[in-house]
Amino acid sequence: MTPRRPTPSTPLSPADEHGTDTERQVLLDVTDLTVGMETDGERRTLVRAVDLRLGRGQTLGIVGESGSGKSLTARAIVGLLPAGLRAAGSVVYDGTEVIGTRERALRAIRGSGISLLLQDPFTMLNPLQTVGAHLTESLPAAARRDRSEAGKEVLRRLDEVGLQADVVDRYPFQLSGGMRQRVALAAALAGDPGLLIADEPTTALDVTTQAEVLRLLKAVQERRGMALILITHDLRVAFSVCDRVQVMYAGSVVEESAAADLRTGPAHPYSHGLLLAEPPVTHYVDRLVSIPGKVPSADDVAGRCSFADRCGWSTPVCVGSRPALVALDGGRSSACVRLPEIRHELTGEPDAAEHSPSAPAVRPGGRPLATLTDVRKTFRTTRLIGRSVTSTALGGVSLTIGEGESVGLVGETGSGKTTIARSLLGLVTPDSGRVLLDGVDASDYRRMTRAERRRIRRFVQVVFQDPYASLNPSLKVGATLREALDARGAAGDAAAGVADLLARVGLPASYADRKPGSLSGGERQRVAIARAVAVEPALLICDEPVAALDVSAQAQVLELLREIRRASGMSMLFITHDLSVVRQMTDRVLVLHRGGIVEVGDTAAVLDAPRHAYTRRLLGAVPGIEQRPLDSSRQEAGS
């Protein structure tokens, strides 16, 4: 039986000078929200007994790993659960009950009451409609009646999100990721909602675009006096925007706190683990901290502490019954029965200077393994309106990767990072310049002999951002890895070889019989790494390999790559927009901007004392690095 939960502890603003009653300021009141589904006559619980209360103009962050129930909670609030899922409990928005309300009545609430901004703007924007058409149809009916006035209103909405009037006639594919997200935000705000729910709105964006979108989101929220729920797996993002944070795990809230209090002193071991799993950008750590295991289903941990199996402080008392969310001092709450005993261990930052050096011992590059000399690449695309557009991806790039060296490539989307990787892999042929791999001219793979191509395919391998795109979903893991072993010409027992590869990336041999769809994101990426290293390459290209992962899975994958490099001496080209990852993974870093290298040097030197204005801009966009109006200092991770 689920213990009785306390009244939601989110404080509301005090009565104003006219004596407004506090209860009238409650905009959203969620009580005992449960989301479940029925399969084969068996009911499964996905979200269990969530409470939250949000006042007008307040901001709340909902944080947790994938599978924690964050997005389902948001969709239940707005009445947009996927087919087959049902919500129970109570969701009251501005005095109106959402759960059980007919769809026709819910339409009156959506848009003008509650609006939803999703992670990927492509899911919100029709690729065949112009920006102007999107915003026009999102306006209230009264605003659409006069065509001339509607056009003026669209331009006003674009200006509010920082877009120029000439964007109105463009299609989504003609915009950058940040511009698309701004259009999606303008559409979400077109009905003037009292509450905006933003579900991972910056996950797919580079660091500077992320900072711009977060600033915009915060500015619009404050200017409108709008309530905001921000869903994210990145605590730094939540701290930069939100007044309060709820931490969810396995479908339940395990901690609620003011953002500032959670940042400096978490009150639950899971929150503590999430904080420590954040890789710091300010210094190198010897070992990246992660939370072992993965998030269980809500039903599997229904009668016990949901986090007990992954918690370093777990004792038999933790699994005897389900802990209630108990109110603490300072308007906080926690669902940890051992908190009075261990709270002093959850507070205070690790001493970075004592536990880790300021930088790793830099490995000087040995003989050159890969060399790019004055490589140039221009792409031409034809737009729907029939015009041919030319864009320069690389404007004369030269770089060298030495034996045993890890080199980072950083820059915003469109800076040329992935074009460099694809040029090395033969997926793009440069217009001019030269690419040398292990002494072989690989500038144009079509001109290489079959023997040279076979040799270079083994010499260089890649791990992409999305393992779904690189793993065949119809093949079992074992079959995928056997293909890689066959390509290497490995002799011996195939099953033993597969088991050895899985062990090397920290997965049990039984995973050979699974398909990618049954694995978590971090597990899929481990399989992708196992396949890449199966051929024993000299150079491994990692193209944003952790960008799509939760913070704990990210730490696990990064530490795995460090272990592989230490054991094998493999060289790496690490492509990322995350400077925290660059600090932990590379010896040397190259900063790209608009197709050219603007700064290069040892990683610690570049990040500690950047010389180029663009590098300083990248560092300034990292949440927590500088005290800006949006930012907050954050707890640094250590080992």
Side-chain angles (χ1 to χ4, degrees):
M1 180 176 177
T2 303
R4 183 176 179 83
R5 296 168 62 86
T7 301
S9 58
T10 307
L12 298 171
S13 304
D16 63 22
E17 60 183 355
H18 302 293
T20 304
D21 180 64
T22 298
E23 288 302 315
R24 290 173 57 194
Q25 297 183 44
V26 178
L27 183 66
L28 179 69
D29 197 351
V30 177
T31 307
D32 202 30
L33 173 64
T34 298
V35 177
M37 64 184 297
E38 220 172 89
T39 54
D40 300 325
E42 184 178 343
R43 183 167 177 78
R44 290 180 54 210
T45 301
L46 305 175
V47 172
R48 188 187 305 278
V50 169
D51 296 342
L52 67 87
R53 179 179 288 179
L54 193 64
R56 300 177 190 278
Q58 290 185 325
T59 56
L60 174 70
I62 302 180
V63 178
E65 296 169 276
S66 295
S68 295
K70 310 183 302 294
S71 293
L72 285 180
T73 298
R75 289 180 176 274
I77 289 172
V78 77
L80 286 174
L81 284 172
L85 271 60
R86 291 179 178 271
S90 175
V91 175
V92 178
Y93 173 77
D94 200 18
T96 300
E97 176 63 62
V98 172
I99 294 179
T101 300
R102 292 187 177 183
E103 178 63 24
R104 186 172 183 178
L106 284 177
R107 291 195 197 109
I109 297 175
R110 296 189 199 118
S112 60
I114 309 175
S115 192
L116 185 62
L117 175 66
L118 299 176
Q119 173 179 341
D120 184 359
F122 269 124
T123 63
M124 296 182 66
L125 303 178
N126 186 332
L128 300 180
Q129 279 190 320
T130 64
V131 169
H134 275 108
L135 295 188
T136 299
E137 70 177 14
S138 300
L139 293 171
R144 297 197 304 266
R145 291 194 184 105
D146 186 314
R147 189 170 180 178
S148 174
E149 289 302 313
K152 293 177 183 178
E153 186 65 11
V154 165
L155 295 180
R156 189 180 74 80
R157 302 289 181 165
L158 287 174
D159 182 66
E160 182 182 29
V161 297
L163 291 175
Q164 300 296 318
D166 60 0
V167 172
V168 74
D169 293 321
R170 297 190 197 177
Y171 291 88
F173 76 92
Q174 296 173 312
L175 307 176
S176 68
M179 292 173 74
R180 284 194 295 268
Q181 195 61 287
R182 287 170 183 261
V183 172
L185 176 59
L189 296 173
D192 299 318
L195 168 64
L196 176 67
I197 301 176
D199 191 355
E200 299 277 11
T202 61
T203 296
L205 304 179
D206 58 60
V207 63
T208 51
T209 307
Q210 177 192 71
E212 290 168 1
V213 170
L214 289 176
R215 281 197 197 94
L216 173 63
L217 197 59
K218 184 67 174 175
V220 169
Q221 180 265 326
E222 290 179 341
R223 184 166 58 246
R224 287 173 169 244
M226 176 181 66
L228 172 67
I229 294 178
L230 176 66
I231 296 171
T232 178
H233 65 261
D234 190 334
L235 280 168
R236 291 175 298 184
V237 169
F239 294 154
S240 69
V241 174
C242 301
D243 306 318
R244 297 186 64 79
V245 175
Q246 278 192 343
V247 181
M248 289 192 70
Y249 183 76
S252 299
V253 176
V254 296
E255 180 173 0
E256 182 184 347
S257 170
D261 292 338
L262 178 59
R263 184 178 66 245
T264 56
H268 193 281
Y270 179 59
S271 308
H272 181 255
L274 290 178
L275 283 166
L276 290 185
E278 293 276 6
V281 70
T282 53
H283 62 278
Y284 175 85
V285 292
D286 289 321
R287 181 178 61 84
L288 293 168
V289 178
S290 62
I291 305 172
K294 59 182 180 180
V295 180
S297 69
D299 286 335
D300 287 344
V301 290
R304 58 195 299 233
C305 172
S306 57
F307 188 60
D309 291 342
R310 304 175 72 190
C311 180
W313 289 277
S314 179
T315 67
V317 70
C318 301
V319 296
S321 62
R322 181 177 178 80
L325 190 66
V326 176
L328 308 173
D329 55 295
R332 308 182 67 174
S333 55
S334 172
C336 177
V337 295
R338 296 202 62 210
L339 185 62
E341 305 166 59
I342 67 172
R343 191 166 187 176
H344 68 284
E345 298 181 56
L346 302 181
T347 58
E349 297 183 4
D351 188 336
E354 181 178 326
H355 288 84
S356 60
S358 60
V362 176
R363 293 189 189 185
R367 70 181 181 89
L369 295 185
T371 303
L372 275 70
T373 305
D374 196 29
V375 171
R376 299 173 184 271
K377 182 63 183 179
T378 298
F379 292 102
R380 292 175 179 82
T381 58
T382 302
R383 295 182 173 175
L384 287 179
I385 52 178
R387 288 189 301 168
S388 180
V389 179
T390 300
S391 60
T392 300
L394 297 177
V397 168
S398 299
L399 64 88
T400 298
I401 304 169
E403 189 174 33
E405 185 181 32
S406 180
V407 175
L409 279 180
V410 300
E412 295 169 290
T413 301
S415 61
K417 305 186 302 295
T418 296
T419 303
I420 289 176
R422 293 173 67 85
S423 298
L424 288 168
L425 293 165
L427 301 175
V428 162
T429 301
D431 299 330
S432 62
R434 195 179 189 198
V435 178
L436 280 180
L437 291 172
D438 198 27
V440 175
D441 189 339
S443 306
D444 189 340
Y445 273 55
R446 296 167 298 183
R447 296 182 179 178
M448 297 164 63
T449 66
R450 182 177 297 181
E452 286 176 330
R453 280 197 299 270
R454 188 181 302 115
R455 172 186 162 194
I456 295 304
R457 296 294 185 201
R458 280 195 55 185
F459 178 81
V460 57
Q461 282 288 301
V462 62
V463 178
F464 291 108
Q465 173 178 341
D466 183 4
Y468 262 132
S470 58
L471 297 177
N472 188 331
S474 65
L475 282 184
K476 291 182 178 180
V477 168
T480 295
L481 297 183
R482 279 193 295 273
E483 283 185 347
L485 290 171
D486 290 343
R488 191 183 82 193
D493 184 353
V498 168
D500 180 64
L501 279 174
L502 290 171
R504 193 174 178 189
V505 297
L507 294 175
S510 61
Y511 274 47
D513 292 325
R514 297 193 182 188
K515 290 185 177 180
S518 68
L519 308 180
S520 68
E523 288 170 341
R524 286 193 296 270
Q525 198 61 292
R526 286 171 181 263
V527 173
I529 292 169
R531 187 184 61 178
V533 302
V535 298
E536 299 178 349
L539 172 63
L540 182 65
I541 298 175
C542 299
D543 190 358
E544 300 278 10
V546 295
L549 301 181
D550 295 322
V551 63
S552 184
Q554 170 182 285
Q556 292 172 7
V557 170
L558 293 179
E559 189 60 32
L560 169 63
L561 288 169
R562 296 208 305 194
E563 290 171 2
I564 289 173
R565 183 182 170 219
R566 283 192 289 262
S568 66
M570 186 186 300
S571 297
M572 288 188 181
L573 177 64
F574 216 97
I575 298 171
T576 180
H577 63 258
D578 190 333
L579 298 183
S580 302
V581 171
V582 168
R583 170 76 80 169
Q584 305 307 321
M585 298 302 297
T586 66
D587 305 314
R588 195 160 54 91
V589 63
L590 295 87
V591 182
L592 270 78
H593 183 50
R594 296 181 178 176
I597 296 173
V598 297
E599 187 161 0
V600 60
D602 289 348
T603 300
V606 170
L607 297 186
D608 291 339
R611 295 182 178 181
H612 196 277
Y614 178 67
T615 312
R616 292 194 292 270
R617 177 185 164 199
L618 288 178
L619 276 164
V622 178
I625 291 301
E626 294 180 356
Q627 290 292 335
R628 304 186 308 277
L630 176 67
D631 295 331
S632 304
S633 60
R634 70 185 246 286
Q635 179 168 329
E636 295 174 348
S639 55

